[in-house]
Amino acid sequence: MVKVIARKNDYADLDLDFMPHPTTKDVMKKTGEEAIKRSVRNLIFTNFYDRPFQSYIGSNALKLLFENMNPITANFLNNAIREVIINNEPRVSINDLRVDFDYDNNGYNVTLYFTILNRNEPAVINLFLERIR
């Protein structure tokens, strides 16, 4: 009797660092949890109209960084991040999202707890959002 093991699909995306593979010299790819984390991070850092022909994808989180640092702006940032992930990343389910302002470093600490669909283990992304200009 042959035991059949179902192979579960793994998520894969291009590595946007464009690091070449050591032997094949081809662009490497991110797989699994790292691919999802990179996709969520890219969505957070994308403004509306940044992507040609997909102007509806974005969060304007970077635009909110130029507002006064207070709890109201942190709440707007929380809503913007939550909305862009719910609308554009169907592979994740948000468990918790925390946005805390850091006066000393002039930015926001973002901690996102989420679950990847078809998997049971939760994942965490920690980001520090700050103004660049």
Side-chain angles (χ1 to χ4, degrees):
M1 182 166 146
V2 176
K3 185 176 181 181
V4 177
I5 299 173
R7 182 176 157 222
K8 65 180 179 180
N9 294 334
D10 202 13
Y11 300 113
D13 287 330
L14 283 177
D15 185 7
L16 296 181
D17 293 335
F18 295 109
M19 299 298 294
H21 190 274
T23 56
T24 62
K25 304 297 185 209
D26 197 9
V27 176
M28 294 177 60
K29 64 180 180 177
K30 295 254 185 211
T31 57
E33 185 177 331
E34 292 302 316
I36 302 289
K37 285 183 178 181
R38 178 62 66 103
S39 175
V40 168
R41 182 181 161 275
N42 287 340
L43 282 172
I44 292 171
F45 286 124
T46 300
N47 286 323
F48 289 109
Y49 300 100
D50 276 356
R51 296 182 182 193
F53 305 107
Q54 293 179 335
S55 60
Y56 55 89
I57 295 177
S59 68
N60 275 346
L62 298 179
K63 184 178 178 182
L64 288 170
L65 297 177
F66 289 92
E67 298 293 329
N68 291 333
M69 189 175 296
N70 55 30
I72 295 172
T73 306
N75 189 28
F76 286 151
L77 193 58
N78 187 331
N79 292 339
I81 293 171
R82 187 177 300 272
E83 184 178 344
V84 74
I85 292 171
I86 289 172
N87 290 340
N88 299 305
E89 187 53 78
R91 302 178 288 183
V92 301
S93 172
I94 298 174
N95 298 336
D96 191 21
L97 176 61
R98 296 181 187 160
V99 178
D100 301 315
F101 46 92
D102 186 0
Y103 285 119
D104 295 334
N105 295 321
N106 200 21
Y108 293 89
N109 291 314
V110 176
T111 306
L112 175 64
Y113 299 94
F114 63 92
T115 304
I116 300 172
L117 298 182
N118 298 332
R119 296 186 183 193
N120 294 331
E121 61 270 357
V124 178
I125 295 178
N126 293 313
L127 297 172
F128 183 74
L129 302 178
E130 62 182 339
R131 292 187 285 198
I132 298 174
R133 298 180 192 172

